[in-house]
Amino acid sequence: MKLEGKVAVISGAAGAMGAIEARLFAAEGAKVLLGDLAEEDGNKVAGEIEASGGQALFHRLDVTKESDWVAAIAAAERRFGPVDVLINNAGVYRTTVIDKTTVADWDDIMAINARGVFLGTKSVIPSMRRAGGGSIVNISSTAGLVGNAVEGAYTASKGAVRMFSKAAAIHYAAEGIRVNSVHPGVIDTKMVEHLMADPELGPLVMSKIPMGRMGTAAEVAKMVLFLASDDSSYTTGSELVVDGGYSAQ
Amino acid sequence: MRLLEKIALVTGGGGDIGGAQARLFARERARVVVTDVAEEAGQQVASDIAADGGSALFVRLDVSSESDWEAAVRACVDRFGGVGILVNNAGVYQTEAIEHTALDDWERVMGVNIDGAFLGTKAVIPSMRSRGGGAIVNVASTTALVGSKRSSAYGASKAALLSLSRHTAIQHAADGIRANTLVPGPVETEMIAENLATPEGKAASVARVPLGRLAAPTEIAYAALYLASDVSSYVTGSHLVVDGGLTAQ
């Protein structure tokens, strides 16, 4: 039980990766608040966790809205106590060639992927202080480490998450709050279904993965668990890559 | 029981970090081959593990000797059936600045820190390949990422490990062999005892660490466990920094 007694908030918890994180965390003893826009799916995951003996609560959360964050953290604290762990997992993926990207698209991607991480971090700090410290895990991407030709805005948003994590890590280290970023490569979820189904791009992307396969959401969740738990008590401000070797070449 | 049925070879297993790794791996049910040039210290770790009900074997190994490696891997195969995990942890420390470093010293440090990891990697690949895969963890240092006023060969040798891991990862991904680098910051060990001997020295060692303290050897061992176990099955060619935020600033 790596998270016995811990209170965790996970954004984007109705999606494939967030839901697996929520289930894994609950199985490791955490009390989990699942935040998402998708109320039906989020409630379903929370219900399943409760039905299997875990503790979970769904709360509607638009990560781009500060008032939503404040309400979600308050709900977690009211039900379970001060928050020990925050996973900024909510994100949006779009392939956008730069000279065809509209300002509206850019702003949308930045609002969810970058502003959402900022607001989540800002909102959880007072609660983590009351908990005596904590761990924040921000889900970036290999697109936050290396460039590519089809993800201009997405890459910028994930690069922002990478450096924001380091700034937050330095700022809150003295209070026992650790902050790290996770950089998944191509993970077999709905998010990349469209990309991988493309007859040209799909095989091209696959040929660039040294391990020759996509990762699974569960493989990313295990990395997130490592960072959320006290197993990583001396790890802060670092970037952890789960990409089958994609960015090592 | 994250290493059930695994066979792990740890170099420098008589030292503080290697000893902590060997003990943790054994608690997670790995069969551990503890290797070191320091026979008494290495033998002690293996005996402690056995006394705790674990399975361990000590083999004397000078990591800079190819014939020693052949003998160590043979011992591993004879006793346990092969090698599934290699932790290239053995290293020597060096604090002379560049203009005060004799070529002999440079070569002594390189001989252990990078030649040792190269020879170890080369020696275990046939066994790992025949078993369908494995995990190699090379233990570097934050001196691989940033410069310092002290050290010359030490930092350079540790930086070379990053490249060795990436090349191993790319060349052997298809064999199911993963290779990653573990990058510790300052750890409370005998190796840097001289730095920590005075209160001023100790204060200087932690002055730039945002978490404000040194790591315990077990905190490094948990990161090694993550990289060595199947929990990190999609992680290869990457490096995991465990430095209390030192290099994030």
Side-chain angles (χ1 to χ4, degrees), chain A residues 10-40:
Chain A
I10 302 175
S11 73
M17 207 177 304
I20 284 186
E21 286 162 5
R23 290 191 181 102
L24 178 62
F25 281 24
E28 293 287 344
K31 293 169 265 191
V32 186
L33 180 132
L34 298 92
D36 208 298
L37 278 173
E39 298 190 43
E40 200 176 317

Side-chain angles (χ1 to χ4, degrees), chain A residues 2-237:
Chain A
K2 293 278 177 198
L3 298 177
E4 183 81 65
K6 304 254 192 203
V7 176
V9 172
I10 302 175
S11 73
M17 207 177 304
I20 284 186
E21 286 162 5
R23 290 191 181 102
L24 178 62
F25 281 24
E28 293 287 344
K31 293 169 265 191
V32 186
L33 180 132
L34 298 92
D36 208 298
L37 278 173
E39 298 190 43
E40 200 176 317
D41 289 348
N43 268 312
K44 188 161 167 266
V45 177
E48 285 165 7
I49 290 172
E50 292 258 311
S52 58
Q55 293 193 64
L57 169 69
F58 173 78
H59 196 281
R60 189 183 186 282
L61 171 66
D62 175 348
V63 295
T64 68
K65 292 205 172 85
E66 190 160 14
S67 53
D68 271 26
W69 269 113
V70 170
I73 300 295
E77 191 156 346
R78 216 165 33 240
R79 171 78 171 266
F80 300 130
V83 178
D84 302 285
V85 174
L86 168 66
I87 314 300
N88 279 311
N89 170 78
V92 62
Y93 176 76
R94 248 169 252 163
T95 51
T96 48
V97 179
I98 292 168
D99 60 52
K100 294 194 177 73
T101 303
T102 63
V103 169
D105 264 347
W106 172 275
D107 286 349
D108 197 30
I109 291 169
M110 292 304 263
I112 297 167
N113 294 1
R115 190 209 296 171
V117 169
F118 153 62
L119 289 176
T121 302
K122 181 184 173 188
S123 309
V124 84
I125 293 290
S127 189
M128 281 190 176
R129 280 197 182 116
R130 287 189 284 276
S135 174
I136 300 174
V137 182
N138 295 325
I139 308 299
S140 178
S141 161
T142 47
L145 301 171
V146 293
N148 69 62
V150 296
E151 298 173 348
Y154 181 76
T155 297
S157 72
K158 292 303 189 180
V161 170
R162 171 175 170 266
M163 283 315 298
F164 177 78
S165 303
K166 293 185 198 295
I170 304 304
H171 199 102
Y172 297 105
E175 299 188 74
I177 298 171
R178 299 183 296 106
V179 188
N180 294 283
S181 56
V182 171
H183 301 262
V186 185
I187 307 300
D188 192 4
T189 62
K190 224 179 230 168
M191 211 179 222
V192 296
E193 221 168 48
H194 186 67
L195 172 76
M196 298 311 284
D198 186 292
E200 277 175 40
L201 284 176
L204 179 69
V205 170
M206 195 62 98
S207 73
K208 289 183 176 170
I209 305 172
M211 284 182 77
R213 65 171 175 91
M214 288 188 271
T216 65
E219 288 174 307
V220 178
K222 288 173 193 164
M223 167 69 91
V224 176
L225 172 64
F226 171 73
L227 287 172
S229 77
D230 294 339
D231 277 7
S232 62
S233 48
Y234 201 64
T235 305
T236 193

Side-chain angles (χ1 to χ4, degrees), chain B residues 7-245:
Chain B
I7 303 145
L9 191 157
V10 178
T11 72
D16 293 305
I17 296 178
Q21 289 164 347
R23 291 173 211 270
L24 178 62
F25 285 18
R27 280 205 301 278
E28 295 287 343
R29 308 312 300 162
R31 287 164 284 178
V32 183
V33 179
V34 179
T35 70
D36 210 301
V37 281
E39 298 190 38
E40 207 174 311
Q43 188 65 64
Q44 185 64 50
V45 171
S47 307
D48 289 351
I49 290 171
D52 267 356
S55 180
L57 165 73
F58 172 76
V59 177
R60 188 188 183 282
L61 169 67
D62 172 354
V63 294
S64 63
S65 158
E66 191 158 20
S67 56
D68 268 24
W69 269 109
E70 281 164 17
V73 171
R74 205 176 315 120
C76 221
V77 172
D78 290 348
R79 171 74 177 269
F80 296 129
V83 187
I85 294 164
L86 168 65
V87 184
N88 283 313
N89 172 76
V92 290
Y93 191 48
Q94 173 266 348
T95 57
E96 289 77 27
I98 293 165
E99 63 176 323
H100 302 301
T101 302
L103 181 57
D104 282 355
D105 268 344
W106 173 274
E107 286 176 348
R108 175 183 63 88
V109 173
M110 288 293 178
V112 175
N113 294 6
I114 183 65
D115 295 6
F118 155 64
L119 291 173
T121 300
K122 192 178 164 190
V124 300
I125 282 173
S127 175
M128 285 188 178
R129 187 193 276 133
S130 71
R131 297 168 59 82
I136 298 173
V137 181
N138 292 317
V139 181
S141 150
T142 46
T143 57
L145 305 174
V146 293
S148 72
K149 288 188 176 162
R150 291 142 61 92
S151 150
S152 51
Y154 184 74
S157 69
K158 293 300 191 179
L161 287 173
L162 289 169
S163 182
L164 177 70
S165 299
R166 292 186 191 117
H167 282 79
T168 306
I170 301 302
Q171 288 172 28
H172 295 285
D175 296 323
I177 299 170
R178 298 183 298 106
N180 293 285
T181 311
L182 174 53
V183 184
V187 187
E188 191 139 19
T189 61
E190 191 59 36
M191 193 170 84
I192 60 163
E194 207 177 302
N195 302 355
L196 307 176
T198 62
E200 300 79 47
K202 193 160 184 176
S205 294
V206 300
R208 294 194 67 249
V209 180
L211 283 184
R213 64 176 177 88
L214 301 167
T218 49
E219 292 179 294
I220 308 305
Y222 272 105
L225 169 64
Y226 173 77
L227 290 173
S229 74
D230 292 342
V231 162
S232 63
S233 48
Y234 201 57
V235 180
T236 194
S238 77
H239 60 282
L240 198 166
V241 180
V242 185
D243 71 349

